[in-house]
Amino acid sequence: MVLEGLGDSLRSTLKKIANARAIDATLVKEIVRDIQRALLQADVNVKLALQLTKRIEERALTEKPPAGMASREHVVRIVYEELVNVLGKPRDLPLKHQTIMMVGLYGQGKTTTCGKLAKHFQKKGLRVGLVAADVHRPAAYEQLKTLAEQVGCHFHGEPSAYKGQSATDAQVAGRVAAGIVARAIAALKPKTDVIIVDTAGRDKLEAGLIEEMKEIFAAAKPDEKFLVMDAQVGQQAGPQAQAFHDAVQVTGVIITKLDGTAKGGGALSAVSVTKAPVMFIGVGEKVDDFEKFDPARFISRLLGMGDIQTLLEKAQEVVGDEEKAEATAKNIMSGRFTLLDMRDQMEMLSGMGPLSKVLDMIPGMGRAKIPKAQMEETQKKLEKFKIIMSSMTREEMEEPGVIKASRIKRISLGSGVDPHEVKELLKYYETSRKTMKGLASNKKMQRRLMKQFEGAEGLEGIR
Ligand code: GDP
Ligand code: MG
């Protein structure tokens, strides 16, 4: 998926925020630098990337979080909001009588997108007519005609128009194309609701192309002017968008080939130049590979907002657990370690959800380090231990020494496990208790223990 790299970097930046103890100027600067780097690597326009990160920095440093919102959450929200802003205000394409003109360089996907748009309108019950106004490539006429047949819409083109035209003969080409458009509109208007005009491109921006667009524009008097851009376009996206915008006043951007592996940031930058939102995205070569674009949803997906939200919530819970952790730790330092303490310790670890998920959320602690099977094993064991302990009496939890054969039998029956599993728990407890006893007299180990309660490092102790 395109923009995967950008998504990955931004996600790890947000994780940094979510895991931060506190938000301060140093952290904000670091985050802003991270985001800048991520945007530039994804080919987002340099000026745009700088403007965007400057706004994020200003807001993160000056805005107070609204009541009830943690500052971490607030900063994540600022990053999200500013990224959504860059993509422009979403706008629905009205379902009414209209003429749409497609512009863009050669090979960006204009003709293909004409077919996709036609299908979009047809599905909504509107009658569509496609107009072949690319007078440079005979293949373009055939391509659009085929698409019209496939979609089942009207079509107007004049194959004879290609005779004697050349890309350099811009004035002639422009006039010929404008003539076709005028005749097409006259012919299609009575029987269609939406007229979509396909135009020619060039390998690169040149005066002839712009002249030609202006001629077609004057003939078509389009309501919508869509700039079609390949997701692969890099830093040239800005100047390209500007030139087309100057010629026809772009009203929407369509980004194609988002199913590919391009960086995509360049094409997204076109939005800030034209101030016209991304309306649709192309995600394949077929007429159905077309999606309405929703900036908020797109950014949420890109950032993995679901994950980030969960992480923020978990982080909050852990903070709440800190007091409990401290009490447990104090108990242990005093040389006492009961099954109750052990259960608390385990709950703190498993309270954050499946261990693998918890570790996934912490940068640098992915599954890569701890084999999945081992992780699941630990998780299962914790669950089982909890069940066994729920069948114990308060006395047994506080004085595990009293648990002998007959009690083991009762507990195993009560919790529905095998007696050897109860013994395993007791053995595990005994090992932990000895470790804890050693810890209580070792300052360095004590510090490590305190750290253990702060999160996933505790796994070392549990295994
Ligand atoms: P035009 O020169 O701007 O009219 O571009 P075309 O519509 O002829 O498209 C150029 C090439 O890009 C064709 O091979 C299309 O099949 C392909 N293409 C267009 N849109 C998409 C898309 O969203 N995804 C993919 N994978 N290919 C696309
Ligand atoms: Mg074409």
Side-chain angles (χ1 to χ4, degrees):
M1 167 65 183
V2 82
L3 287 175
E4 213 166 64
L6 177 61
D8 281 347
S9 337
L10 290 175
R11 275 195 298 274
S12 67
T13 303
L14 294 196
K15 279 178 189 169
K16 215 183 249 184
I17 302 173
N19 287 317
R21 291 261 137 201
I23 304 285
D24 55 20
T26 320
L27 181 71
V28 169
K29 285 220 160 35
E30 190 185 327
I31 290 161
V32 162
R33 259 199 315 274
D34 283 356
I35 297 175
Q36 246 168 37
R37 199 177 310 127
L39 292 173
L40 293 177
Q41 272 167 5
D43 270 342
V44 171
N45 176 275
V46 179
K47 203 171 125 211
L48 179 65
L50 293 179
Q51 278 172 355
L52 171 67
T53 46
K54 195 165 158 243
R55 266 202 309 276
I56 292 175
E57 181 171 358
E58 270 172 19
R59 288 188 59 192
L61 289 176
T62 56
E63 270 182 34
K64 291 257 168 299
M69 192 186 279
S71 53
R72 285 182 290 211
E73 208 171 339
H74 184 53
V75 172
V76 169
R77 186 133 319 167
I78 290 172
V79 173
Y80 164 76
E81 280 174 4
E82 291 300 333
L83 285 168
V84 173
N85 259 345
V86 167
L87 296 181
K89 277 212 166 45
R91 184 170 67 88
D92 277 329
L93 187 53
L95 296 172
K96 56 160 193 163
H97 281 262
Q98 60 191 304
T99 301
I100 298 172
M101 177 177 173
M102 312 292 273
V103 299
L105 288 188
Y106 173 72
Q108 303 286 299
K110 291 180 299 300
T111 307
T112 310
T113 306
C114 284
K116 291 176 176 180
L117 263 180
K119 181 93 189 261
H120 168 80
F121 283 114
Q122 298 255 115
K123 273 198 292 204
K124 309 262 179 188
L126 277 82
R127 298 163 305 162
V128 182
L130 291 177
V131 181
D134 174 349
V135 293
H136 296 278
R137 298 169 51 239
Y141 166 89
E142 289 298 335
Q143 192 188 352
L144 194 69
K145 192 162 180 277
T146 308
L147 280 167
E149 281 160 12
Q150 196 184 329
V151 174
C153 69
H154 294 280
F155 170 76
H156 182 99
E158 300 175 12
S160 59
Y162 298 97
K163 293 199 186 89
Q165 306 308 330
S166 76
T168 47
D169 205 352
Q171 268 191 324
V172 179
R175 269 204 305 275
V176 172
I180 294 175
V181 169
R183 286 186 291 278
I185 288 178
L188 294 172
K189 211 134 216 178
K191 51 184 179 187
T192 61
D193 305 304
V194 180
I195 295 173
I196 303 171
V197 181
D198 187 23
T199 66
R202 298 285 193 281
D203 283 333
K204 56 180 175 20
L205 273 181
E206 50 187 74
L209 172 64
I210 299 304
E211 278 311 305
E212 193 175 317
M213 290 305 113
K214 284 182 178 165
E215 293 256 14
I216 296 174
F217 176 79
K221 299 186 193 61
D223 304 281
E224 301 282 355
K225 287 84 59 176
F226 289 160
L227 172 62
V228 179
M229 257 192 184
D230 183 329
Q232 248 165 29
V233 68
Q235 293 288 342
Q236 317 90 322
Q240 268 181 38
Q242 191 66 57
F244 282 111
H245 192 49
D246 290 345
V248 304
Q249 290 97 55
V250 171
T251 58
V253 176
I254 296 178
I255 300 180
T256 62
K257 307 184 198 181
L258 268 163
D259 50 315
T261 53
K263 296 172 178 178
L268 293 176
S269 315
V271 173
S272 77
V273 173
T274 59
K275 301 280 181 288
V278 178
M279 306 289 289
F280 295 94
I281 54 174
V283 291
E285 299 190 43
K286 306 246 161 34
V287 282
D288 287 309
D289 299 331
F290 199 50
E291 291 174 12
K292 194 174 171 309
F293 184 78
D294 177 348
R297 250 190 48 212
F298 179 78
I299 295 291
S300 298
R301 234 163 56 185
L302 186 68
L303 299 181
M305 281 309 268
D307 305 346
I308 295 295
Q309 201 55 43
T310 321
L311 183 63
L312 282 165
E313 281 159 18
K314 297 296 175 201
Q316 221 104 56
E317 283 167 21
V318 173
V319 172
D321 273 349
E322 255 165 38
E323 285 167 27
K324 205 166 158 193
E326 232 177 89
T328 309
K330 271 208 187 103
N331 211 2
I332 294 164
M333 305 302 185
S334 73
R336 244 183 89 75
F337 183 75
T338 69
L339 271 173
L340 288 171
D341 294 319
M342 193 173 94
R343 191 185 58 190
D344 282 352
Q345 182 185 345
M346 278 166 39
E347 263 170 11
M348 261 177 278
L349 282 174
S350 57
M352 285 177 75
L355 286 171
S356 61
K357 277 244 173 66
V358 175
L359 292 192
D360 270 354
M361 288 190 281
I362 300 167
M365 289 293 290
R367 243 165 245 168
K369 278 192 188 151
I370 299 159
K372 201 173 166 221
Q374 197 174 347
M375 183 90 67
E376 281 169 359
E377 190 62 26
T378 307
Q379 180 79 30
K380 264 200 222 123
K381 205 155 269 179
L382 288 183
E383 295 296 329
K384 187 147 273 173
F385 283 178
K386 264 203 288 198
I387 294 169
I388 296 172
M389 283 193 266
S390 66
S391 280
M392 291 181 180
T393 64
R394 178 103 198 159
E395 184 206 357
E396 286 161 353
M397 292 291 280
E398 282 178 348
E399 291 290 339
V402 302
I403 307 176
K404 299 283 187 296
S406 69
R407 289 193 192 230
I408 289 176
K409 203 167 161 204
R410 194 210 77 236
I411 294 165
S412 74
L413 279 174
S415 54
V417 304
D418 210 78
H420 89 260
E421 288 175 304
V422 181
K423 282 183 200 154
E424 196 188 339
L425 164 65
L426 292 173
K427 212 166 112 198
Y428 176 76
Y429 160 72
E430 202 46 45
T431 318
S432 301
R433 194 182 63 84
K434 283 198 186 117
T435 317
M436 295 303 166
K437 211 171 153 196
L439 283 179
S441 55
N442 184 328
K443 281 273 180 265
K444 208 168 118 202
M445 288 300 274
Q446 279 181 15
R447 272 198 302 276
R448 195 182 292 175
L449 176 69
M450 286 306 283
K451 245 185 133 174
Q452 167 179 326
F453 284 112
E454 284 169 12
E457 279 177 55
L459 264 186
E460 300 305 320
I462 214 102
R463 263 193 261 111

